[in-house]
Amino acid sequence: YWREGFMYGKGKLTYQGNTYDGDWVNGKKHGRGKLTFADGTVYEGEFREDQMEGYGTLTMPDGSKHEGLFVNNMTNGYGKH
């Protein structure tokens, strides 16, 4: 739903070929969700303040994966490949 011009709760948004389906707070991706990029890359996991932040799985178009922690949209530490 919308509150004061911002998305809140669960929702889906497609923009610039990317699609996000998940939790929103203050118009930002925040909580659990799935982000599918235009090139076919998929991130499914936790978001904070519009960033991939927390535990998640990044699947590349070729099928390779990284499962583990993310900080500021980047893998952080060891993960499963």
Side-chain angles (χ1 to χ4, degrees), residues 13-59:
L13 177 67
T14 299
Y15 58 97
Q16 299 175 340
N18 305 319
T19 300
Y20 174 74
D21 190 0
D23 298 327
W24 295 88
V25 174
N26 243 2
K28 295 181 179 179
K29 298 180 285 291
H30 194 92
R32 294 211 40 90
K34 179 179 180 180
L35 178 58
T36 304
F37 295 92
D39 71 354
T41 300
V42 176
Y43 172 79
E44 192 161 4
E46 298 172 343
F47 289 84
R48 183 174 184 185
E49 297 282 322
D50 259 354
Q51 304 288 313
M52 295 182 291
E53 183 94 20
Y55 192 83
T57 302
L58 184 68
T59 305

Side-chain angles (χ1 to χ4, degrees), residues 41-81:
T41 300
V42 176
Y43 172 79
E44 192 161 4
E46 298 172 343
F47 289 84
R48 183 174 184 185
E49 297 282 322
D50 259 354
Q51 304 288 313
M52 295 182 291
E53 183 94 20
Y55 192 83
T57 302
L58 184 68
T59 305
M60 305 305 287
D62 67 3
S64 62
K65 290 184 180 186
H66 176 85
E67 182 179 345
L69 291 177
F70 289 76
V71 175
N72 293 324
N73 286 334
M74 298 180 69
T75 58
N76 185 37
Y78 298 103
K80 291 189 247 178
H81 295 271

